[in-house]
Amino acid sequence: MTGTDDTRSRWTFLTNHARVLLEIARDPQARLRDIAAAIGITERAAQGIVTDLEEAGYLTRDRVGRRNHYHVNPDQRFRHPAEADTPIGALIDIFTHRETKESHWPRP
């Protein structure tokens, strides 16, 4: 076994970019402060991630009054070459519909 319990518990499968995208997919009218709080980052970091996602074509935002309304592009492909054939809609479906779908994975 390598690493201490502290070391092993720090990494996760999803990046903060993926988490921000998922929060927006769950609530397209979410405020940046709420997105940041939900995933444990600063509001400034959330803003930077939203800008990254918008520049890369993963989402667009419209100003509605004093709030932003986000639109996720589920057909946009993953950036890494190993997943470049897969649309991000697949990831969004996994994490936004898991409460309503039966799991097909065996339970221990």
Side-chain angles (χ1 to χ4, degrees):
M1 202 179 301
T2 61
T4 65
D5 286 340
D6 290 341
T7 303
R8 287 186 304 206
S9 65
R10 284 187 222 155
W11 73 275
T12 63
F13 281 104
L14 298 178
T15 66
N16 286 342
H17 280 67
R19 287 190 173 88
V20 167
L21 186 69
L22 290 169
E23 287 299 318
I24 289 171
R26 288 181 186 117
D27 182 3
Q29 297 179 35
R31 296 178 302 175
L32 282 175
R33 77 177 67 158
D34 297 330
I35 293 168
I39 63 175
I41 61 174
T42 65
E43 192 171 338
R44 185 177 187 123
Q47 173 62 47
I49 290 170
V50 167
T51 299
D52 289 346
L53 293 171
E54 187 174 26
E55 288 174 355
Y58 289 95
L59 60 85
T60 57
R61 62 181 142 177
D62 296 317
R63 194 79 171 154
V64 179
R66 295 177 56 181
R67 309 253 326 242
N68 286 319
H69 184 87
Y70 300 97
H71 303 276
V72 174
N73 178 3
D75 297 324
Q76 185 73 1
R77 305 294 180 173
F78 283 94
R79 292 171 50 112
H80 192 279
E83 296 91 29
D85 291 336
T86 306
I88 61 160
L91 177 75
I92 292 167
D93 285 347
I94 290 169
F95 286 96
T96 60
H97 299 340
R98 68 177 163 199
E99 294 86 18
T100 60
K101 290 184 179 178
E102 287 269 332
S103 173
H104 296 283
W105 297 97
R107 298 186 195 265

